[in-house]
Amino acid sequence: MTEAAELPPAPEEAREVFGDRFGDAVRYAELLADAGVRRGLIGPREVPRLWERHLLNCAVLSDVVPEGVTVCDVGSGAGLPGIPLALVRPDLKITLLEPLLRRTNFLNEVVELLGLDHVTVVRGRAEEVLGTLTPVHVVTARAVAPLDRLAAWGVPLLRPYGEMLALKGDTAEEEVKAAKAALSKLGAVRTSVLHVGEDIVDPLATVVRVEVGESPGGVRFAAKRAKAASTGRARRRR
């Protein structure tokens, strides 16, 4: 039996969440279960729980993303949460940021196949694109790194008064406490733990929201952004 054959039928909740893009969500699930496994983007043991643990868990993040904003999905991997979010929120402009070539190749294939015109794939690390990627309203991430390290990568990519939304697990509260000092240095003004997806996923998806003030990333990253922008202008004048 192939890995694709082990993919369970989509639950009724998926029809409710994805609406008229339900067919595309099914196609994406099939791609993850087949090419995603063959190319090492997800483990074969994840296939039977792709819908509940991955696609729906990521799609409900849309509950806390403002309307019409720009989003950067840091360490997008196989497109989680960026692709499910894009399927349910055509109003967003989403950048999938991923350093590994085999993953960006897969992401580009998915974006083209599903006709996600509001999604762009960028190959690189967060620290590498700082100053070249236009600052965004929202940074998203899932299973990338502990909160303090993730914030050091993601927060500097934000516009002033933006927010980072990180899908986390049972340790969310502990991570927030442990990262308090680091988040403060990065310009965070408020951090909270949210639970979303009622009547859709069980357990509810846990999201850590990190809201920043006028200096995302703090003083050090403000200087780094300014230097990168200056370098970019100098190159364009040549």
Side-chain angles (χ1 to χ4, degrees):
M1 183 179 293
T2 65
E3 299 299 341
E6 295 178 8
L7 179 67
E12 283 302 313
E13 291 83 356
R15 293 183 180 275
E16 176 184 344
V17 170
F18 291 104
D20 60 0
R21 298 305 296 262
F22 172 72
D24 290 324
V26 171
R27 184 64 183 130
Y28 177 51
E30 292 171 345
L31 288 168
L32 288 174
D34 185 7
V37 172
R38 286 190 286 102
R39 291 154 74 169
L41 302 181
I42 66 166
R45 294 183 179 180
E46 296 303 310
V47 173
R49 51 186 184 177
L50 268 177
W51 284 106
E52 288 79 4
R53 183 180 175 89
H54 298 287
L55 274 74
L56 289 174
N57 185 267
C58 290
V60 297
L61 183 63
S62 66
D63 291 353
V64 290
V65 177
E67 290 186 11
V69 298
T70 52
V71 178
C72 181
D73 189 31
V74 173
S76 193
L80 300 166
I83 296 294
L85 185 61
L87 287 172
V88 299
R89 294 291 300 277
D91 60 300
L92 305 175
K93 296 293 185 183
I94 300 177
T95 298
L96 306 179
L97 181 62
E98 169 56 46
L100 295 185
L101 179 60
R102 62 186 172 88
R103 293 176 179 171
T104 55
N105 285 342
F106 176 80
L107 293 173
N108 277 312
E109 292 166 14
V110 171
V111 167
E112 182 176 358
L113 181 66
L114 302 185
L116 298 174
D117 298 334
H118 57 306
V119 177
T120 302
V121 179
V122 174
R123 185 185 175 196
R125 301 182 185 279
E127 58 269 32
E128 296 169 346
V129 302
L130 184 65
T132 59
L133 188 71
T134 302
V136 297
H137 298 93
V138 177
V139 163
T140 60
R142 179 179 188 253
V144 173
L147 185 60
D148 55 349
R149 203 183 331 153
L150 174 61
W153 298 334
V155 166
L157 300 177
L158 290 169
R159 294 172 46 148
Y161 306 104
E163 60 185 8
M164 184 178 75
L165 299 171
L167 279 161
K168 287 290 184 178
D170 296 337
T171 62
E173 296 281 0
E174 289 77 5
E175 286 194 50
V176 168
K177 291 177 182 178
K180 184 177 180 180
L183 292 174
S184 179
K185 289 180 180 179
L186 288 167
V189 296
R190 187 179 299 105
T191 304
S192 53
V193 177
L194 313 174
H195 299 284
V196 297
E198 188 174 359
D199 297 327
I200 302 295
V201 291
D202 184 18
L204 298 178
T206 300
V207 181
V208 174
R209 170 186 273 159
V210 178
E211 300 170 77
V212 301
E214 62 182 12
S215 299
V219 175
R220 181 165 66 91
F221 284 100
K224 188 174 181 179
R225 268 197 303 270
K227 181 179 179 180
S230 176
T231 301
R233 287 194 297 270
R235 287 174 179 170
R236 287 192 292 271
R237 286 197 295 266
R238 290 175 184 171

